[in-house]
Amino acid sequence: MNSTTRFASSLTALAAACALFAGCASAPTVTPALQDARSNVRAAEADPAVLKYASLDVKKAGDSLKRAEQLSAEREAPADIDSAAYIASTQARTAMAIAKAASEEEAIKAAEADRERARADANARRANVAQAQAANAQIAAANASADASAARQQAAVAQADAAVAQAQAAELQRALAELQAKQTDRGMLVTLGDVLFEFGRAEIKPAAGEAMNKLAQYLNQHADRRILIEGFTDSVGSDTANLTLSQRRSQAVADALRARGVDPTRIATRGYGEAYPVASNSSTSDRALNRRVEVYISNDNQPVRARG
């Protein structure tokens, strides 16, 4: 090999080394979903109530965020980073919802205790009034005072009852918040993403059991409400296959709710295949949004109105 050839080979090796160094030094891939996950996890970790009532859940969220950060540092595909970040965000929001529920439950218990104490005091006052009425005329003035005191205690009972009613309303809102329900003109909408199923399959994943439990618990506590379960797919595959898959997925959710005690006469199912997309089918993340099951909960005891 002459000197000119050796020089050219050295330049080629140097160029390859520089390219490798530049690739290694490139910045991590940071997506909006990863930024949201960071914000959600930090908010959960900074909440004293979360640390008190949901420390294990917030730890899971932190571990999931570390996984997303690792994928970002390794410059993996944005869809993989977004998937890990979505899990971290969901776990962080779940931890905050659990903490909120526990705090509100303590408030409900405190309100109930106050109500029982008020009732006990009112009963004691009424007993004093009865005894005073059996006494002589000199106690008549004391009777009037006792009556006034009893009235005040009854007002306290009414206030305690109102506090319990408010706490129960807050409990309903908490349940809806955990389900991430949204009010629509057809009723409350709970969207279950394709994380419930393996790709192209209709069997519900074991990890989705918690979501099914929460939805069933809410429906069992509101036995007058009816539901319509609608299944959807993305545009990948034939129309016939997608329609069948969407029907099987909506039926799988119905079966899971029935297994958890929900009256089957309250449940209706429909499958729409790739119809009614909520996003375009031009990317992996958009197709994931279209692969979903929507559960509509009626506002009364009437069936949910069908689409169209």
Side-chain angles (χ1 to χ4, degrees):
M1 180 183 298
N2 59 37
S3 59
T4 301
T5 302
R6 286 195 297 273
F7 180 72
S9 299
S10 299
L11 287 179
T12 301
L14 178 60
C18 290
L20 177 61
F21 178 79
C24 294
S26 59
T29 302
V30 179
T31 67
L34 177 57
Q35 293 175 332
D36 288 343
R38 290 170 176 171
S39 177
N40 289 330
V41 173
R42 288 169 183 165
E45 291 174 341
D47 190 337
V50 172
L51 298 179
K52 179 179 180 181
Y53 297 110
S55 58
L56 180 58
D57 297 85
V58 77
K59 181 180 182 302
K60 291 179 180 178
D63 293 340
S64 297
L65 180 59
K66 289 179 182 178
R67 171 60 180 161
E69 296 286 9
Q70 181 181 357
L71 293 174
S72 172
E74 294 173 355
R75 301 182 305 284
E76 296 292 344
D80 294 337
I81 298 172
D82 286 349
S83 178
Y86 174 81
I87 293 173
S89 291
T90 301
Q91 290 172 330
R93 288 193 295 267
T94 298
M96 290 188 284
I98 291 172
K100 182 180 179 182
S103 299
E104 291 173 348
E105 183 177 358
E106 285 191 356
I108 291 173
K109 291 180 179 179
E112 291 176 344
D114 289 342
R115 181 181 65 179
E116 292 301 321
R117 284 193 294 270
R119 285 178 175 171
D121 291 342
N123 290 335
R125 295 295 184 184
R126 284 191 289 269
N128 291 338
V129 170
Q131 293 175 358
Q133 289 174 342
N136 56 42
Q138 294 179 352
I139 309 178
N143 286 341
S145 176
D147 287 340
S149 179
R152 289 193 296 270
Q153 291 298 327
Q154 289 173 347
V157 170
Q159 291 176 350
D161 288 340
V164 170
Q166 291 176 349
Q168 290 173 341
E171 178 70 11
L172 174 60
Q173 292 301 319
R174 178 197 63 77
L176 294 176
E178 287 186 352
L179 296 171
Q180 297 182 358
K182 296 179 181 179
Q183 183 64 56
T184 72
D185 59 353
R186 300 171 63 205
M188 278 292 184
L189 169 61
V190 177
T191 300
L192 304 173
D194 73 334
V195 294
L196 291 179
F197 307 95
E198 295 290 351
F199 180 79
R201 300 185 65 84
E203 296 80 15
I204 297 177
K205 293 180 181 179
E210 183 178 356
M212 290 293 96
N213 290 339
K214 289 179 180 179
L215 181 56
Q217 182 180 13
Y218 176 82
L219 293 173
N220 287 328
Q221 290 175 349
H222 301 83
D224 59 326
R225 307 291 179 90
R226 297 193 182 190
I227 61 173
L228 174 60
I229 305 172
E230 298 179 340
F232 304 88
T233 68
D234 58 25
S235 61
V236 177
S238 68
D239 292 346
T240 300
N242 285 336
L243 181 61
T244 300
L245 179 59
S246 67
Q247 292 169 339
R248 290 175 58 207
R249 285 187 168 181
S250 64
Q251 188 60 48
V253 173
D255 293 341
L257 293 177
R258 281 196 288 266
R260 288 165 172 78
V262 179
D263 184 355
T265 62
R266 300 165 55 198
I267 304 173
T269 62
R270 290 291 299 272
Y272 291 101
E274 61 191 70
Y276 303 105
V278 295
S280 70
N281 284 291
S282 59
S283 67
T284 300
S285 58
D286 284 349
R287 287 192 293 273
L289 293 175
N290 289 329
R291 296 192 299 268
R292 69 198 189 279
V293 172
E294 295 183 351
V295 180
Y296 284 90
I297 305 172
S298 67
N299 295 322
D300 48 33
N301 60 358
Q302 298 301 311
V304 176
R305 174 169 52 83
R307 291 176 179 266

